[in-house]
Amino acid sequence: GAVVSQHPSWVICKSGTSVKIECRSLDFQATTMFWYRQFPKQSLMLMATSNEGSKATYEQGVEKDKFLINHASLTLSTLTVTSAHPEDSSFYICSARRRPGSSGNTIYFGEGSWLTVV
Amino acid sequence: TQLLEQSPQFLSIQEGENLTVYCNSSSVFSSLQWYRQEPGEGPVLLVTVVTGGEVKKLKRLTFQFGDARKDSSLHITAAQPGDTGLYLCAGYNFNKFYFGSGTKLNVKP
């Protein structure tokens, strides 16, 4: 089946620094990738939709200058948390949708990345 | 804002019991998916339903998409401890997937 990989799985960073999380579709081209944030025991909250070659679309309440998203190729999207604060600590998950027409609207999830800001 | 509301939020049952999880919305979705998530891992897709009224079976799991494509249900027959996890429904609309509030299921041996 389709595979989406996130890196790193775990990251600890100091307050005020920036950290980048990568999301790669390993065996298919993803025109659209989604970034979610999940707090413990809660559901996934959509942060932004990343389209290859264009600017990301952010959900209401998500600061685009703080959570920078780049979708430079059909297999890679990155989320950069800038000037991280402890309240940014969370589980970040990406998902990727195949190029339309090949597998409907099914999305495939990465393994998630745990971010801890100290 | 949660477009999709799931109920119940928490469910703790004994092995062998049956259960149903509901996913409701006031919005119409072109498709809906169910996922199961283990702590610290990404969600794993269980099923995708597309047609109103569609019923899909996956071993002991039965999924139904409402006729109006606004709601869905997941029924588990003879639950097992291995079914324990967070169950999430996700609706697709306007090029986005929105997740339900989640149902935490605990099946006790």
Side-chain angles (χ1 to χ4, degrees):
Chain A
V3 178
V4 175
S5 178
Q6 274 184 246
H7 177 80
S9 299
W10 300 82
V11 59
I12 300 174
C13 71
K14 291 185 177 180
S15 289
T17 62
S18 296
V19 61
K20 181 186 289 187
I21 301 170
E22 294 186 346
C23 178
R24 292 181 184 274
S25 55
L26 299 184
D27 57 353
F28 66 98
Q29 292 183 327
T31 52
T32 304
M33 289 185 172
F34 305 90
W35 285 96
Y36 294 86
R37 184 173 179 176
Q38 186 177 32
F39 291 104
K41 300 181 181 179
Q42 294 186 24
S43 186
L44 283 71
M45 296 301 296
L46 179 63
M47 297 175 66
T49 303
S50 168
N51 295 297
E52 187 267 336
S54 64
K55 289 183 179 180
T57 304
Y58 290 80
E59 294 299 300
Q60 193 172 13
V62 178
E63 299 175 61
K64 59 182 179 182
D65 294 330
K66 180 168 184 61
F67 298 99
L68 301 178
I69 291 173
N70 183 276
H71 194 157
S73 75
L74 284 172
T75 60
L76 173 65
S77 176
T78 60
L79 167 68
T80 301
V81 182
T82 63
S83 188
H85 283 260
E87 53 264 34
D88 297 327
S89 299
S90 186
F91 190 49
Y92 292 88
I93 307 177
C94 74
S95 66
R97 182 165 69 108
R98 284 180 183 267
R99 185 190 289 273
S102 60
S103 188
N105 294 320
T106 299
I107 56 173
Y108 302 92
F109 280 87
E111 314 95 325
S113 298
W114 282 102
L115 169 64
T116 301
V117 184
V118 297
Chain B
T1 303
Q2 207 82 52
L3 283 183
L4 290 153
E5 292 294 332
Q6 284 182 237
S7 61
Q9 276 190 291
F10 301 96
L11 193 54
S12 184
I13 60 173
Q14 290 294 139
E15 183 176 2
E17 292 183 12
N18 302 332
L19 67 114
T20 302
V21 177
Y22 299 93
C23 174
N24 296 298
S25 176
S26 57
S27 302
V28 175
F29 294 98
S30 55
S31 67
L32 192 139
Q33 299 179 332
W34 283 92
Y35 293 83
R36 180 167 159 265
Q37 185 183 24
E38 299 282 354
E41 298 180 12
V44 174
L45 178 65
L46 297 175
V47 77
T48 300
V49 286
V50 179
T51 308
E54 182 176 2
V55 176
K56 280 191 174 179
K57 287 199 169 189
L58 184 67
K59 295 183 181 179
R60 294 177 293 101
L61 277 61
T62 302
F63 305 87
Q64 184 163 9
F65 201 11
D67 291 340
R69 289 185 288 128
K70 291 183 178 181
D71 52 78
S72 181
S73 64
L74 157 61
H75 182 79
I76 300 178
T77 303
Q80 298 176 2
D83 296 327
T84 293
L86 178 66
Y87 288 82
L88 298 160
C89 63
Y92 178 78
N93 247 355
F94 311 113
N95 203 37
K96 297 179 184 179
F97 283 89
Y98 292 95
F99 277 83
S101 42
T103 295
K104 183 72 177 71
L105 171 65
N106 179 38
V107 182
K108 295 175 283 187

